[in-house]
Amino acid sequence: MPWSSASTAKAAVVAFDLSVNHLQRIELAGGRTEQVGAAEDFLPIVLPNSYNNDEQPVNSAIDLRFRLKGIVGGSFSAMQDISAYQIVAMDLAQHTIWDSGKVDCETEQEGMSSFVSWGGPELAPGTIVSWQVKVWDMEGAGPSASGWSKFGVGPPSDGWNGEWISHSLDIKKYLHKDQRRFLESRYKSEKVCRIWTKRRPLPIARGKVEVSKSEAPRIVSALLVATGLGAFSMSLDGQELSSTSMHSPSLTDVTQRVFYRGFDVTSFFRGKPPGSHVMGVVLGSGWWDPRPIQGDLVNHHYMPQGPLTLIAELHLTYDDGTTQVKTPTGENAAWQLGKGYIRDSDIFSGETIDLDRYKKLKGWDSPKGWDDYGLDPKTGVTWTEPQLYVSDTTTAKFRRLLEKRAVKRDEFAKATFKLAPIGKLIPTETPPVMPIERIPVETTTDLGNGRWLLDFGRGIAGTVHFDSGLPPPIIPEDGYPRAHSLIQKEGKEEDFVTVVYGDSLTMEYGDINLVLVASYGLHDGGPRHESKESDTQERAGACYIKEHEGVMTQRDIFMAPKDKPELFADAKTTLFTSHGFRFAEVCCTEEPPEDVYSVLYRTAFQEWGHFDSSNVNINGAYELTKNALNSNMQGTQTDCPHRERLQYGGDLIANSPSSMHMFDLSAFYRKVVHDWTETQFSNGAYTETSTWHDLLADHGFGEGSGETVWASLPPVLTARHMQHYGDIDFVRDTFSHHVEWCTFLSSKFEKAIQGWFGYAGDNLEGYRGSENVNGLGDWLSLQTIDTYLTHHAFYMATARSIAYMAHMLEKDGSADEETSFIGKEARSLARKIKDHITNKYLNDNTYQVQKGWDVSPGPDLPIFTRMVPGKSRCDILRNWLQVAGSGHDVQWTGDEEKLFMNHLPSKTSKALLKKKIIGEDEDGMYMNRRSRHSTAEGILGIRYSLKTLSDFGFHNIALSRVSNGNFPGFAYMMSFNATTMWETWWRSEDLYSRNHPMLGAVAEWASSSVAGVSLAPTTTGGKDLLFWPRIPTNADVVVYASATQGTKRGDAAIAWRFEGAKLKNARTVKVRIRILAPPGSNALFRLPIYGCDYNATATVSYARTLPDLNTAKSNAASTCSSRRKSKNGFSYNWEYNSETEKWNKSLNKKAIGTPCESFLFDKSLADTNWSDSKLLTLKPEAPFKQSFEGVESEKLVELTPGLYDIVIEKWKLQREIRDQPGYGEYVGSLGSYCSDQSTSTWNIEDATHLI
């Protein structure tokens, strides 16, 4: 068959986005410009469906999924869902492997299930399957056929013929008696560094495949499976097979599991003559053999390590269905190892490329380049026989030793082994890290002395690609700038060009601020501040790079002999190191490099959520979040892409709702939870990071556990995963782990709380919050942090998550008696904790430690999570509102803000004082933080405050907070040139990261509240959608907004706008809302009337036939792109003049925040055939009803799948309350929702308000 990903449509609905075990085939990564050697950039791999091994339990299920969309011209009634489907699977010789036949969906419970299990024959390792989905619409028309997709079948861990192999020199050096680092916090760094250095350059490997005359014509398909530690890049016959190498494989606890990749290399063998082929592997250090640095924030010595190693084998399938494994790695003449062109590669400090050897090695991985063992005089490489990597310990022993240090706190625990164990091999369960986007240079600045500053206009994680190579280097007359020098042996000097990366610039010099991106947090404080000790070398150990001059720098080096300057034309990019940056410095060359791009690398999941509005600052907040998330999703979800690169539970708790709005994380978040369950300690404790680094131990419960919020991520994320993706097998697989964590938490909690707070028997009299002393809580809030509340709330969240999961297993029919009992106990525990919090906090019609006290979280957390008793909710809301919406100011005197104000021109200071943006007293000037117009909460409270305000009728306050142009807020970040979310609300020049998505909950609020689309709280698998636009009651902040939300069913979208010529002075305005609900979904539309004290009418129409939405999307994207190129977004920034030592406000238009309108309002949809309209009356006094019938006066209307046009004719606009006193004395209406007690109790199926 002519292989094609295109679909054909004969029904009103078509299937698309085919996936197996949540993984989609990727033909070519978005940031790749040339085709890869394999048939596709990423081929999903599954295990044989018959595989079962009790000693190595793995998920061998083959679950097929697909999404649905309507087609142009499809009728409204026909596109409601599908009535039947058919799955056809073939091998690459077009032989049918499985044909499900036409399956009637009405015979399945609740219609189409979330996945279809493989129903074909047993699949042997090496098989490559092409498959397609055909569907029939609700009127029986069809079928429409999807495009073809593929997956391969890999060997189980105990079914590999290949063995782990390494370079013999690396094994020898690693076995040296002074090499030991595991658990040694202060090891003999000089000796360890010397031995580590002797393992450089990094190895390359190649294996020869011989195909005979008899077998060549019989080959049907060829599947190459491979992996390497720490990282690997695969080629065949000199052709790179994939664009992946960075973080390949993704970080796991490799003593438990290691991911491998599969490559469809059929085109190299099928229909080709007999002969030789050569597989090539380049190895990188990754987390497995990193530079031995003793860091402040990353403790490598608690992670498994060893010499670089690989495993690979080729599976050939013949025309009679038989398979053969070719050239497995092992101690055989088919494999050779040598030392390659990468002299050094470290994920933190960067990569060093030998351009001379790189040039000489061209063709080394092809049949023509093959030679016998020994020295190859042409390349200078000595090819040696492989040596097997054989650990001298087991995973169980390794874990016991780690627990001795982590759980028992035995400071004298030492390793008794040399080579760490390697766990089971499984196909990668998440898409690989791939190049997603290429971003051209915006500006190039001459910093002098041959140093060039490249500004790519946006912060990313990835690398720089020099399409035309680098210019020849020069030696700068005034000496090399900081971090650009290189110490070389006398008489062996080479030419070099350095590339240094960072995400911000220094105030004084306009070059890269190295301190803010210092790896491991190792720096001397920089030129202005002494926030760290000055002797970085002493803290870091002997392997600290002296040329980094006090700051552990992100730096790559390209080197060549002095008589070969032409080689720098081959300096294109690095292979294994990724950096966090917006800016790059190239030093030192006579001319700047040309044709330069930054390349964003992240895990290649699909982006399926978007948001836009008329407000630049709100759009900017969303973009800051998206850019930061894009920078921190490289196999794990990290805190920042340069300093630590660790997966913190608290960060994911805070921003996973935003992440799941933006991206399809069905596979990625399975992997994330597995990262925690596989490193869970035997006592049941989860850690604060997915790999234990002995961080923040004082905030946890001891015995290896993390702080309550951080360590509760696994059960909470599992519940959220079920809500979005409906994967009951995932719930079943992880349930017991979460129960063990809850059991551990229950055994430690009360004693720890008494020890920390001492408030076991009173009502918290005198307690005012803990300032992170007894936990992390609402981390980095500007308000006082209430850790007593967050400890208890997330203990409750753990119990609720387990109750939720047990309930889902009961609904699925797979819960045994023990599971049901555990679920009841967990639900009872959750109620007990909730009642305890209420008894402590409910006092004098408020729900916080003291009425009016500015703490975070405040009553917004218990209101949002359905803890507040229904009869008290209105009073508590009013009291909290008087604080949250108050017009009072709070002083902020942070170091950088004080310096900023002290260096303002007098005229500017007076203007800001007049506007009360800043204040002044006897101690000098300070920043004004306006409660009603600022976002001062920390990583947790930002979500609860915004969502609670918008849900309970005070959306205008939430809008004001996020759109605020002053300190603290998102616009404040952008005014200092931020393109990614900062770690803090305040500006830091010497400590906190500027690419850190912790505060990213604002993106979920933007899409679900400002635009108005989200998953329904009680849905599973994303089937039920909630369309609830919080239409503002004035036109001061937002006049239109839109969002799309991907689900496993299909893509949903909403857009609304005010319509009228003069909105500024209008008293009433027309509101138009467009809604798109995908086939197979249930759409719940909630009328936006909270805060209104009058009746209004709305009309609802649906599109009788679906218009051409693809053209509309293309038009809208083109218009938006033009607007962004014109930089219609955020319009200014503060610039520091080092000569005058003054800050000046500069009008400088930017792309970030550019308003764009939805495709749902594109002009191409003007001729849509709308149905007759139905009249709805909006009555504010009507109670909220959980009814889907859509009868007149109800606030919740059920909409079946389709495209809708809703018009509210006379939406009343009102003046906003004055800033003083704001809502500090508010006695007006609270609307009807807070008094509706049916929504005050947590529903066991509600994953949204679980925490």
Side-chain angles (χ1 to χ4, degrees), residues 1188-1209:
F1188 303 156
E1189 299 186 9
V1191 295
E1192 190 171 303
S1193 85
E1194 288 183 349
K1195 298 179 182 178
L1196 192 63
V1197 180
E1198 183 177 36
L1199 303 176
T1200 57
L1203 177 64
Y1204 291 87
D1205 185 69
I1206 301 170
V1207 177
I1208 303 174
E1209 287 293 344

Side-chain angles (χ1 to χ4, degrees), residues 1085-1090 1094-1100 1174-1198 1232 1236:
F1085 174 57
R1086 191 160 172 179
L1087 303 176
I1089 65 175
Y1090 295 129
Y1094 60 93
N1095 292 349
T1097 60
T1099 57
V1100 182
K1174 177 182 178 181
L1175 182 67
L1176 295 173
T1177 301
L1178 316 184
K1179 296 181 179 180
E1181 71 278 6
F1184 178 81
K1185 297 182 180 179
Q1186 296 190 13
S1187 169
F1188 303 156
E1189 299 186 9
V1191 295
E1192 190 171 303
S1193 85
E1194 288 183 349
K1195 298 179 182 178
L1196 192 63
V1197 180
E1198 183 177 36
S1232 60
D1236 179 11

Side-chain angles (χ1 to χ4, degrees), residues 470-475 480 495-497 558 560 565 568 587-590:
L470 285 166
I474 61 171
I475 298 175
Y480 286 96
D495 281 341
F496 63 92
V497 175
F558 297 91
F568 286 91
C587 186
C588 297
T589 62
E590 189 73 42

Side-chain angles (χ1 to χ4, degrees), residues 31-315:
R32 178 91 181 196
T33 57
E34 65 278 357
Q35 192 65 42
V36 295
E40 54 272 306
D41 225 343
F42 172 62
L43 177 70
I45 299 295
V46 302
L47 290 173
N49 51 316
S50 61
Y51 177 69
N52 188 13
N53 185 334
D54 292 336
E55 295 181 1
Q56 290 188 318
V58 294
N59 185 0
S60 60
I62 301 176
D63 294 333
L64 307 176
R65 290 175 171 85
F66 51 90
R67 305 205 296 147
L68 299 172
K69 60 184 177 181
I71 66 166
V72 178
S75 71
F76 177 79
S77 58
M79 65 169 286
Q80 295 301 298
D81 205 340
I82 58 173
S83 60
Y85 69 86
Q86 179 182 11
I87 293 178
V88 178
M90 297 183 175
D91 64 19
L92 297 192
Q94 303 182 40
H95 299 135
T96 299
I97 301 175
W98 175 48
D99 186 339
S100 69
K102 186 176 179 181
V103 179
D104 188 350
C105 292
E106 294 180 2
T107 63
E108 298 186 13
Q109 186 178 5
E110 298 183 2
M112 177 64 196
S113 64
S114 61
F115 66 90
V116 178
S117 294
W118 176 260
E122 295 182 5
L123 299 174
T127 305
I128 300 176
V129 179
S130 294
W131 65 291
Q132 184 186 53
V133 178
K134 299 178 181 180
V135 297
W136 287 258
D137 64 30
M138 288 304 289
E139 294 182 350
S144 290
S146 72
W148 289 87
S149 189
K150 285 165 60 181
F151 63 87
V153 183
S157 186
D158 58 358
W160 280 70
N161 289 17
E163 299 175 278
W164 289 98
I165 60 172
S166 297
H167 196 289
S168 57
L169 176 63
D170 293 352
I171 293 282
K172 179 181 178 181
K173 293 300 179 184
Y174 215 92
L175 292 175
H176 193 281
K177 64 179 181 179
D178 293 318
Q179 170 58 32
R180 185 171 63 197
R181 278 189 283 160
F182 183 61
L183 298 184
E184 302 280 355
S185 60
R186 290 295 162 190
Y187 46 78
K188 300 175 181 178
S189 65
E190 295 84 0
K191 293 181 178 180
V192 169
C193 183
R194 185 171 63 251
I195 298 166
W196 179 86
T197 303
K198 288 182 178 179
R199 293 198 297 274
R200 314 301 98 171
L202 304 188
I204 55 178
R206 61 187 183 185
K208 183 184 283 189
V209 181
E210 298 289 356
V211 178
S212 68
K213 290 182 179 180
S214 61
E215 64 180 327
R218 299 174 49 229
I219 296 174
V220 171
S221 62
L223 180 70
L224 173 58
V225 289
T227 191
L229 293 175
F232 80 108
S233 177
M234 196 85 204
S235 61
L236 181 60
D237 292 347
Q239 295 188 48
E240 185 182 17
L241 292 183
S242 176
S243 58
T244 60
S245 56
M246 294 181 186
H247 302 281
S248 182
S250 296
L251 175 64
T252 58
D253 177 356
V254 298
T255 69
Q256 308 268 353
R257 76 201 201 281
V258 179
F259 293 154
Y260 69 83
R261 287 282 308 279
F263 308 92
D264 178 359
V265 292
T266 303
S267 62
F268 289 83
F269 295 92
R270 186 177 176 186
K272 299 298 171 64
S276 300
H277 300 269
V278 174
M279 299 181 285
V281 181
V282 183
L283 290 171
S285 298
W287 290 89
W288 178 246
D289 191 22
R291 178 178 288 275
I293 294 291
Q294 298 171 152
D296 290 359
L297 299 171
V298 181
N299 295 315
H300 280 302
H301 52 277
Y302 293 133
M303 300 178 71
Q305 296 173 23
L308 304 188
T309 183
L310 71 135
I311 187 169
E313 60 188 38
L314 176 68
H315 291 251

